[in-house]
Amino acid sequence: MAKNIQSLERAAAMLRLLAGGERRLGLSDIASSLGLAKGTAHGILRTLQAEGFVEQEAASGRYQLGAELLRLGNSYLDVHELRARALVWTDDLARSSGESVHLGVLHQQGVLIVHHVFRPDDSRQVLEVGAMQPLHSTALGKVLSAYDPVAHSEVLEVEREAFTPRTTTELTAFESLLDMTRARGWAADVEETWEGVASVGAPIHDRRRMPVGAVAVTGAVERLCPEGELRPELVAAVRDCARAVSRDLGAGRF
C-alpha cells in the first residue's frame, strides 16, 4: 500500500485548522496545535502563501485562508450547480433539435465536457463526459474564449493546431472570430475540429453575470448546415437554452 506524503498531510491539516475556530492564527498557535516545529510550520505556510492558499495579515503577522481556496471552492460548486440547473434544459434541447448536446467549462487550457445528452435517435453513441476539447476550434471553446477573460488569455498561450483546412489559427483572424462571437452571442464550428461535424454554442452566465460555461449542439454537417449555413432555428434554440440555464443560475435576462 502506497504511503501518504507527510508534507501534504501537514498542509491539509493546516488548512483545516485555519478553516475552523478563530479566523486568524499566529505561527506559534499553528505549530503547537499540529505538533510541529516552528520552522517546519513556517516552511509549509510560506509554500501555501506562495500558491495563494494562505494569506498573512501584515499588521499582526497572523495567517488566514487565501482567496485561491475560495476560487477553487466556487469552481467546484459552480460546475455541480451548472450541471444540475442545465439537466432539464439540455434534455429539451436535444429532443427539439434531434442532435447531441454538450455542456462545457474551462479546464486546463481546454474545454471539459461536464454533461452530454445523446442524440435521441437510438443510434450507437459514446458518452463524452470528461473529454477535453480545444478552445480555439470548437463552438464551446470559442464561446468561452470570447466571454471569459481567463479562457481568452489561455487560448492565446496554447498552440492553435490546424485540425482541418478550415481551422483558424492565425491570431488576428482568431480575434476577429471572437469579436463576431461577442457581437452575435454565439459561436460556430463547421468542420474546424472534425471533418463532417458541425456545432453551435452559446455562453451561460451566473448570478454575477460571469461566464461559467457554454452549451452546444453537435451533429453531422449535412443535418446542421443543409444549405451551407447553420439552421437559424438551431442557433435560436441553443441561445434560448443558454439563457434559460443562466436565468436558473440567477443571471436574470440578457
Side-chain angles (χ1 to χ4, degrees), residues 36-113:
L36 299 174
K38 279 189 178 181
T40 301
H42 187 241
I44 295 172
L45 284 167
R46 283 179 57 190
T47 302
L48 291 172
Q49 186 177 0
E51 296 297 328
F53 296 143
V54 164
E55 296 172 357
Q56 186 178 28
E57 189 181 40
S60 68
R62 289 173 172 264
Y63 294 91
Q64 64 183 22
L65 293 180
E68 182 65 10
L69 274 179
L70 177 63
R71 187 189 71 79
L72 291 175
N74 282 341
S75 296
Y76 175 83
L77 293 174
D78 284 348
V79 168
H80 284 264
E81 183 180 8
L82 171 62
R83 186 178 182 279
R85 298 286 185 177
L87 288 176
V88 172
W89 300 109
T90 51
D91 281 351
D92 286 347
L93 179 58
R95 188 163 45 252
S96 64
S97 66
E99 302 293 346
S100 297
V101 176
H102 295 95
L103 190 68
V105 298
L106 177 66
H107 181 68
Q108 295 180 348
Q109 297 185 317
V111 183
L112 174 67
I113 304 302

Side-chain angles (χ1 to χ4, degrees), residues 1-9:
M1 183 175 178
K3 292 182 179 180
N4 293 339
I5 300 174
Q6 188 180 53
S7 58
L8 292 180
E9 289 182 330

Side-chain angles (χ1 to χ4, degrees), residues 2 13 15 40 67 98 115 126 130 210 213 250 254:
L15 292 174
T40 301
H115 185 52
V126 177
M210 295 295 291
F254 272 84

Side-chain angles (χ1 to χ4, degrees), residues 17-34:
L17 179 65
L18 291 170
E22 295 183 39
R23 187 168 174 229
R24 297 184 182 92
L25 292 172
L27 174 59
S28 296
D29 297 325
I30 295 171
S32 62
S33 295
L34 299 177

Side-chain angles (χ1 to χ4, degrees), residues 8-253:
L8 292 180
E9 289 182 330
R10 289 172 171 175
M14 204 168 281
L15 292 174
R16 292 192 187 98
L17 179 65
L18 291 170
E22 295 183 39
R23 187 168 174 229
R24 297 184 182 92
L25 292 172
L27 174 59
S28 296
D29 297 325
I30 295 171
S32 62
S33 295
L34 299 177
L36 299 174
K38 279 189 178 181
T40 301
H42 187 241
I44 295 172
L45 284 167
R46 283 179 57 190
T47 302
L48 291 172
Q49 186 177 0
E51 296 297 328
F53 296 143
V54 164
E55 296 172 357
Q56 186 178 28
E57 189 181 40
S60 68
R62 289 173 172 264
Y63 294 91
Q64 64 183 22
L65 293 180
E68 182 65 10
L69 274 179
L70 177 63
R71 187 189 71 79
L72 291 175
N74 282 341
S75 296
Y76 175 83
L77 293 174
D78 284 348
V79 168
H80 284 264
E81 183 180 8
L82 171 62
R83 186 178 182 279
R85 298 286 185 177
L87 288 176
V88 172
W89 300 109
T90 51
D91 281 351
D92 286 347
L93 179 58
R95 188 163 45 252
S96 64
S97 66
E99 302 293 346
S100 297
V101 176
H102 295 95
L103 190 68
V105 298
L106 177 66
H107 181 68
Q108 295 180 348
Q109 297 185 317
V111 183
L112 174 67
I113 304 302
V114 297
H115 185 52
H116 174 198
V117 185
F118 283 164
R119 185 172 65 252
D121 63 359
D122 297 325
S123 62
R124 185 175 181 180
Q125 300 169 64
V126 177
L127 185 66
E128 295 184 25
V129 172
M132 293 290 293
Q133 293 186 1
L135 282 171
H136 70 286
S137 61
T138 61
L140 290 172
K142 290 179 196 173
V143 165
L144 292 173
S145 299
Y147 286 91
D148 186 337
V150 176
H152 184 236
S153 297
E154 292 188 353
V155 76
L156 301 184
E157 296 173 0
V158 299
E159 179 185 355
R160 291 180 295 279
E161 181 181 348
F163 298 111
T164 77
R166 293 174 175 262
T167 310
T168 301
T169 59
E170 195 274 324
L171 180 57
T172 302
F174 181 70
E175 291 283 20
S176 295
L177 276 179
L178 299 187
D179 287 340
M180 182 169 63
T181 297
R182 285 185 284 265
R184 64 189 185 182
W186 55 276
D189 166 10
V190 181
E191 295 189 288
E192 294 174 53
T193 310
W194 302 282
E195 296 281 0
V197 178
S199 63
V200 55
I204 296 172
H205 297 80
D206 66 5
R207 61 186 62 85
R208 299 161 295 176
R209 296 294 181 97
M210 295 295 291
V212 293
V215 62
V217 158
T218 301
V221 170
E222 59 266 24
R223 295 195 303 270
L224 270 63
C225 311
E227 297 180 12
E229 298 288 338
L230 283 163
R231 289 157 42 203
E233 71 275 13
L234 199 60
V235 174
V238 172
R239 297 191 69 193
D240 285 346
C241 177
R243 291 192 192 103
V245 178
S246 297
R247 283 196 300 272
D248 278 2
L249 289 170
R253 302 186 71 85

